[in-house]
Amino acid sequence: MKKTMLQKPKGFIDEYKHKAGAEKDRTHYCPGCGHGILHKLIAEALEDFGLVDETILISPVGCSVFAYYYFDTGNFQAAHGRAPAVATAASRANPDKIVISYQGDGDLAAIGGNNILQAANRGENIVVFFINNAIYGMTGGQMAPTTLEGQVTTTTPYGRNTDTDGFPIKMSEVLSQLTAPTYIERVSLHDAPHIRKTRNAVRKAIKNAKERKGFQFVEVLSTCPSGWKMDPVKSMKWVKEKMLPLYPLGVYRDLGDDAKITTRPVPVMDPVAVWEKLGISAEADVDFPRGDVAEEYRKLSIRVAGFGGQGIMVTGQALASVALEYGYNVSWLPSYGPEMRGGTANCSVNIQDGQIGAAEAVKPSMLLAMNRPSLEKFEEAVEPGGTLIYNSTLIDIEPTRADIKVFAIPITGIADELGNTRVQSMVNIGAYAAITDMFRVEDVIALLPKLFKGKKQAILDLNAKAVKAGFAYVKDNFK
Ligand SMILES: Cc1ncc(C[n+]2csc(CCOP(=O)(O)OP(=O)(O)O)c2C)c(N)n1
């Protein structure tokens, strides 16, 4: 007897590890949603063409935001509507890779409308899978640019009114007005024969991408039973009866063998050449001779965290700026909470000799926690053997990690004693200098006029005191 084995395509990760317990073999999509079907068609094609390891997939914002949970490819997640820009960068930096931009209709046609237009117009070597379910699915079914006339959504409770809401945008038709795109087709997932046609379109686009044939666009009409408040069967019928007349299926562009194959110059990142162009001397910046820094502090990825107004960003900027003067490569990446003052804030700083790969300190080798929520949030992420500095004035709990070095420093208290809470950031810098031996106090003080441009001498003096106090506290209290 012939045995049929059903299994996941190799384009998918074996086990969806993000999912708890029994859910590990399932996706997060609702029953009857088209995303799962399209994911499978893409994963199968990548496996069949041997391209899983050659592909970079860009996930959007929308229900498919977690595409990176499933595809065993390289993955980036882009800000809302920006997948074509990220895909452009990925494709230009990796001209030999297949780059897929996977996007919903809210993402692609609303907030990302111009992004897709420009990427298509440049004829980027990317494949765009555009899942058109006529609404914003993820956020609960609001009107999208693709919403049908008269369609009831949460933001058009009386139906889309073209007098006030405009007309549905037909992206395949719009993009086919441009010169550069190579292949544009609209397909649908509403029944098995159409899923087969979608499969062909997916494979064609990916094959074209393999041959570097420029911009590929496959629009996929898809169901959203949850957002449409219909069961999956009715949703399929709705696509057939309502969507197909407005969005005719078919090929809108197929240049076939006439497709222009564009080879773009591969960007070479040569920092010295860039500095020269900008008139900056690489040597001139290395002002201070380095001290004897222990091995563990020569490649630092630091998370500085606290609430807005605690000098979190100033601390991060100062760490990076001072380290720069010792000739280190540095990066500073701010991350603001919803409110600037009083909300949470954190930043990532990298200080090292080699090239900095990721600016975000996901697994920091050092955490500087200025308040309790920051300690609770980031302590677990610190690399084993790493360093934790925490503000013992405000943090009334003990850290739990036993495998990291811990420095409890009353940072706010020291600043208050100097008469101004705002100098906490310089207490931090002093403490950091004492712990790592990376900065000399006199060097930091010499840099204060540069760090705080235009500030009065009294402010500079106060900050100098703060640096000294942070430094002294560590030297006096820790070996
Ligand atoms: C800058 C920004 N604006 C708005 C949102 C809220 N938001 C999240 S998903 C989404 C729409 C997604 O709709 P669509 O692209 O059609 O994808 P679907 O969920 O239907 O698959 C919106 C507006 C956001 N996350 N970021």
Side-chain angles (χ1 to χ4, degrees):
M1 196 176 83
K2 192 168 162 242
K3 205 170 156 196
T4 308
M5 212 162 89
L6 298 174
Q7 61 183 33
K8 258 184 243 172
K10 298 264 183 307
F12 284 141
I13 292 163
D14 278 345
E15 194 183 16
Y16 307 142
K17 290 218 171 75
H18 62 287
K19 288 275 184 185
E23 299 260 297
K24 275 187 177 160
D25 56 348
R26 299 210 197 142
T27 70
H28 67 288
Y29 295 117
C30 306
C33 167
H35 278 303
I37 304 173
L38 182 59
H39 277 29
K40 182 158 175 280
L41 298 177
I42 296 170
E44 262 174 13
L46 294 179
E47 178 188 356
D48 292 349
F49 300 153
L51 293 174
V52 180
D53 291 337
E54 305 304 317
T55 300
I56 302 170
L57 188 127
I58 321 294
S59 315
V61 168
C63 283
S64 44
V65 64
F66 295 133
Y68 54 82
Y69 280 164
Y70 310 120
F71 286 98
D72 201 8
T73 55
N75 288 285
F76 284 109
Q77 202 283 319
H80 209 3
R82 274 44 183 175
V86 176
T88 297
S91 160
R92 294 216 184 177
N94 303 278
D96 54 338
K97 299 291 178 208
I98 310 295
V99 178
I100 296 177
S101 175
Y102 185 108
Q103 302 181 255
D105 47 337
D107 187 77
L108 181 140
I111 193 168
N114 191 37
N115 246 254
I116 192 66
L117 207 61
Q118 302 303 335
N121 193 44
R122 292 191 303 267
E124 294 297 340
N125 258 321
I126 61 176
V127 185
V128 179
F129 291 116
F130 170 46
I131 197 123
N132 177 359
N133 59 16
I135 52 162
Y136 291 3
M138 183 192 220
T139 41
Q142 293 84 355
M143 188 189 89
T146 46
T147 295
L148 277 52
E149 186 175 351
Q151 186 182 338
V152 173
T153 70
T154 54
T155 44
T156 54
Y158 304 107
R160 182 177 190 163
N161 176 350
T162 52
D163 290 343
T164 48
D165 311 327
F167 294 85
I169 299 185
K170 304 176 180 185
M171 288 308 298
S172 289
E173 286 84 337
V174 169
L175 295 182
S176 63
Q177 300 307 307
L178 301 172
T179 311
T182 302
Y183 170 53
I184 299 176
E185 180 164 1
R186 184 183 288 126
V187 287
S188 173
L189 296 173
H190 70 277
D191 61 19
H194 285 90
I195 292 175
R196 262 200 304 281
K197 281 191 182 154
T198 304
R199 180 176 183 267
N200 291 342
V202 166
R203 295 167 92 84
K204 179 167 180 161
I206 292 176
K207 256 198 188 134
N208 281 352
K210 195 174 168 210
E211 290 162 22
R212 312 284 163 248
K213 281 189 174 165
F215 189 82
Q216 317 295 318
F217 188 84
V218 180
E219 175 173 348
V220 183
L221 302 185
S222 170
T223 47
C224 180
S226 301
W228 296 349
K229 317 272 183 275
M230 289 178 207
D231 65 37
V233 176
K234 278 204 185 106
S235 304
M236 305 272 186
K237 228 173 132 212
W238 195 84
V239 173
K240 187 175 172 195
E241 289 173 3
K242 306 283 182 190
M243 288 184 82
L244 291 195
L246 176 69
Y247 295 115
L249 305 182
V251 175
Y252 286 78
R253 168 76 56 83
D254 187 1
L255 296 185
D257 290 338
D258 296 334
K260 184 168 162 249
I261 299 188
T262 313
T263 10
R264 302 182 197 270
V266 184
V268 182
M269 188 54 195
D270 178 358
V272 176
V274 175
W275 293 332
E276 269 168 15
K277 269 217 156 73
L278 295 173
I280 301 167
S281 156
E283 296 309 312
D285 240 18
V286 187
D287 289 333
F288 300 134
R290 290 198 197 169
D292 205 4
V293 178
E295 182 67 34
E296 64 197 288
Y297 296 126
R298 289 200 199 142
K299 186 170 190 269
L300 278 174
S301 150
I302 309 167
R303 176 83 71 172
V304 187
F307 49 75
Q310 273 193 311
I312 305 300
M313 301 306 167
V314 178
T315 300
Q317 282 171 332
L319 284 173
S321 307
V322 178
L324 202 58
E325 302 289 338
Y326 288 94
Y328 290 100
N329 291 337
V330 302
S331 68
W332 172 73
L333 183 75
S335 164
Y336 296 96
E339 319 91 356
M340 290 289 279
R341 198 158 285 274
T344 55
N346 73 78
C347 64
S348 295
V349 177
N350 282 280
I351 300 178
Q352 63 185 65
D353 273 326
Q355 277 197 2
I356 294 168
E360 167 124 37
V362 178
K363 288 192 172 171
S365 49
M366 180 181 279
L367 169 64
L368 172 46
M370 292 293 283
N371 64 1
R372 181 171 164 169
S374 304
L375 180 66
E376 288 171 338
K377 182 168 179 193
F378 293 114
E379 184 184 357
E380 266 315 297
V382 177
E383 282 279 6
T387 303
L388 165 67
I389 305 171
Y390 75 95
N391 182 7
S392 57
T393 315
L394 298 187
I395 299 176
D396 53 3
I397 52 165
E398 292 288 318
T400 55
R401 295 276 298 273
D403 60 337
I404 55 178
K405 285 179 285 302
V406 176
F407 295 85
I409 305 175
I411 296 161
T412 309
I414 296 173
D416 283 345
E417 260 175 42
L418 293 170
N420 191 336
T421 317
R422 293 180 66 184
V423 297
Q424 290 172 112
S425 42
M426 288 302 116
V427 176
N428 288 338
I429 301 301
Y432 174 89
I435 291 167
T436 61
D437 289 323
M438 187 180 275
F439 309 154
R440 270 180 302 273
V441 169
E442 58 270 31
D443 293 345
V444 178
I445 292 173
L447 278 176
L448 288 176
K450 197 166 160 186
L451 293 178
F452 299 106
K453 267 198 196 103
K455 294 281 181 219
K456 292 199 180 102
Q457 191 56 43
I459 301 281
L460 299 180
D461 291 345
L462 185 63
N463 277 287
K465 274 190 194 159
V467 177
K468 285 184 192 160
F471 187 88
Y473 187 89
V474 171
K475 289 293 177 199
D476 294 345
N477 291 282
F478 303 97
K479 265 200 201 149

